[in-house]
Amino acid sequence: MKHAFVMDPLAAVKPWKDTTYFLMLAARQRGHQVCHLEPHALRLEHNRAHARVSWLDVNEDPDRPFNLREQTDCALSEMDAVWIRADPPFDRRYFYTTLLLDNLPATTRVLNRPSGIRNWNEKLAALHYPELTPPTRVTNNRDDLKQFSQTHGRITIKPIDGFGGKGIIFYDAGDDNGSDNDLNTATHNNQRWVIAQQYLPAAQEGDKRILLLNGAPLGAILRLHAKDAELNNLDAGATPHPAELTPQDHQICQTLKPGLLQQGIFLAGIDIIGDMLIEINVTSPTGLQELCQFNDEDYHHQIIEALEQ
């Protein structure tokens, strides 16, 4: 099989933890061909997606994870699989990337399906399942947020296009530390939508990332904030730990499965705090290397094998 990975620059890859690198490694170890391209390399020749790509050898050596074999210009319809693995935010660049990749024929599998990435904003998609989520308000109005906090106490506020813990604040209208300036910053003075949710005390014990392949859970890791910090995002200093799936976790996964399959979401990462669904990550979900290490399983090979079958 031929795999094209649409992703960020190779120089930015952290091979000791990067999920995309691990998928590329498994593909090469299984005898597949792997190439890399950045989103800006995409173009259309009439209605056919083309790009200049870099064909790679992928190594287990973290000091030299990639060897360039050659660069070619090709029609992406020649690929068996095109992986959309650029990091968020889902901005205008990302949006147009998905539109360009819509032009690929059915003989080329796009993972995840471009329309599914567009349809399921990672912060808002969980609201398709309101019975699974904490009380939520989406607004760009500071006064709305204050009123929501007066009703629900401490709240977590995130930009709806945020990622990696960036822009998250905690607010309590009844707390002397609750600052209107924080709300002005979060909403860009009532110009930017944010998602606010009732704060879940279970977050103090971390949040659980569950990876799902074709809607079925592979396993979970627990992300726990650093000392004297609150954010459970790995990019914000949190650390990964082993985790088990609870009956409620399995029920959440089962509830999500039909929607994930309908949207063409091959690989997803959902975030659970306590027993509540917080996010559904569909752009470039992470945690695969940690999951493989904790469970001593080659999940990256299982993912590639699922495509082979």
Side-chain angles (χ1 to χ4, degrees), residues 275-290:
D275 58 0
M276 305 297 287
L277 175 66
I278 304 299
E279 292 184 13
I280 304 174
N281 297 276
V282 299
T283 51
S284 58
T286 61
L288 180 60
Q289 287 209 47
E290 295 86 351

Side-chain angles (χ1 to χ4, degrees), residues 22 111 162 180 192 213 254 258 294 304:
F22 222 39
L111 312 161
D180 288 354
R192 180 184 188 182
L213 174 63
Q254 189 64 32
F294 293 147
I304 302 300

Side-chain angles (χ1 to χ4, degrees), residues 209-249:
R209 162 61 56 88
I210 303 174
L211 289 177
L212 298 98
L213 174 63
N214 282 325
L218 291 173
I221 63 171
L222 184 72
R223 302 177 298 183
L224 184 61
H225 53 265
K227 184 179 179 180
D228 299 324
E230 288 195 85
L231 295 179
N232 290 315
N233 304 78
L234 296 181
D235 286 342
T239 53
H241 301 268
E244 298 291 333
L245 292 172
T246 68
Q248 174 65 5
D249 294 334

